[in-house]
Amino acid sequence: QVQLQESGPGLVKPSQTLSLTCTVSGGSISSGGYYWSWIRQHPGKGLEWIGYIYYSGSTYYNPSLKSRVTISVDTSKNQFSLKLSSVTAADTAVYYCAREGDSSGAFDIWGQGTMVTVSS
Amino acid sequence: SYVLTQPPSVSVAPGQTARITCGGNNIGSKSVHWYQQKPGQAPVLVVYDDSDRPSGIPERFSGSNSGNTATLTISRVEAGDEADYYCQVWDSSSDHPMFGGGTKLTVL
């Protein structure tokens, strides 16, 4: 079955760019029918959708983060990536990648999540 | 943007029925999805499109949606159901997914 796995640095300095990658196994991003999303969860808080990408490269971002977010896809590696620029301590969170069905809008598969701390 | 309101906590004794609500303006017109998140783990989809269950989710989990309230119902609650539960919809006004604030289910 399809599995997602996040990877990337667990510590990022303020003002730098947070970069994470999600590797998809057991299925192909290129098969279509799904949006590939990034979602984060601040410590002890709820879930915040960051944005998604379709295999074609079409993207959509949360308006509150849009100016700092870039999501890209590498279909040859079956991966999609998140870049969040100019980070501050407020970006400290667990970052999840997730698959969203383009018909239902539900996030049916999630990665295990990766904790990213912004600190000098 | 669209606001989803969940009670911060719900408590229920084992074997009883837990009902977790998700309030939103005319939420009955939207598809609501529910997630279970246990400590230190990623969320798991337990109900989608108001009342459908993904494969592997027990029949004890059910959902309904009407008017301004969607409800996740967990029948015959077990200790293993203790978790945070989040509702989610697609907000057509801002054109992105929205999550409720989450409800902590405590099994007494």
Side-chain angles (χ1 to χ4, degrees), chain A residues 41 45-47 49 52 60 63 96 100 104-108 110-111, chain B residues 33 35 37 41-43 45 48-49 86 88 90 94-97 99:
Chain A
Q41 186 171 34
K45 302 297 184 182
L47 301 165
W49 177 77
Y52 67 57
Y60 199 82
Y96 296 100
E100 177 187 2
S104 77
F107 298 99
D108 62 345
W110 297 63
Chain B
H33 318 299
Y35 304 87
Q37 185 179 34
Q41 298 183 18
L45 181 67
Y48 67 97
D49 290 350
Y86 295 90
Q88 178 244 319
W90 182 272
S94 57
D95 207 17
H96 67 76
F99 291 94

Side-chain angles (χ1 to χ4, degrees), chain B residues 53-68:
Chain B
R53 278 185 313 277
S55 61
I57 300 301
E59 291 184 6
R60 300 185 298 104
F61 289 82
S62 62
S64 62
N65 184 19
S66 179
N68 293 319

Side-chain angles (χ1 to χ4, degrees), chain A residues 2-6 22-24 36 97-99 109-112:
Chain A
V2 176
Q3 294 183 314
L4 307 181
Q5 177 69 57
E6 304 90 350
C22 182
T23 300
V24 180
W36 303 92
C97 56
R99 186 182 81 169
I109 298 176
W110 297 63
Q112 66 183 26

Side-chain angles (χ1 to χ4, degrees), chain A residues 2-81:
Chain A
V2 176
Q3 294 183 314
L4 307 181
Q5 177 69 57
E6 304 90 350
S7 59
L11 181 64
V12 181
K13 289 182 167 49
S15 79
Q16 294 190 343
T17 296
L18 177 160
S19 296
L20 297 174
T21 295
C22 182
T23 300
V24 180
S25 59
S28 174
I29 285 180
S30 300
S31 61
Y34 298 100
Y35 295 105
W36 303 92
S37 282
W38 287 97
I39 295 164
R40 70 180 183 179
Q41 186 171 34
H42 295 102
K45 302 297 184 182
L47 301 165
E48 179 183 29
W49 177 77
I50 299 171
Y52 67 57
I53 191 164
Y54 202 55
Y55 78 96
S56 61
S58 299
T59 54
Y60 199 82
Y61 303 136
N62 188 322
S64 67
L65 297 168
K66 184 177 181 179
S67 63
R68 298 193 293 129
V69 173
T70 302
I71 298 177
S72 58
V73 65
D74 186 336
T75 54
S76 67
K77 294 182 179 180
N78 221 28
Q79 296 175 332
F80 62 105
S81 298

Side-chain angles (χ1 to χ4, degrees), chain B residues 16-92:
Chain B
Q16 299 303 304
T17 297
R19 294 179 178 85
I20 298 172
T21 59
C22 178
N25 185 33
N26 198 25
I27 196 173
S29 66
K30 301 179 182 296
S31 288
V32 179
H33 318 299
W34 291 92
Y35 304 87
Q36 176 194 68
Q37 185 179 34
K38 297 182 179 179
Q41 298 183 18
V44 173
L45 181 67
V46 293
V47 167
Y48 67 97
D49 290 350
D50 297 340
S51 58
D52 290 333
R53 278 185 313 277
S55 61
I57 300 301
E59 291 184 6
R60 300 185 298 104
F61 289 82
S62 62
S64 62
N65 184 19
S66 179
N68 293 319
T69 304
T71 303
L72 173 69
T73 300
I74 310 171
S75 304
R76 302 180 299 283
V77 166
E78 303 173 356
D81 298 331
E82 191 163 278
D84 293 326
Y85 291 84
Y86 295 90
C87 59
Q88 178 244 319
V89 302
W90 182 272
D91 176 19
S92 54

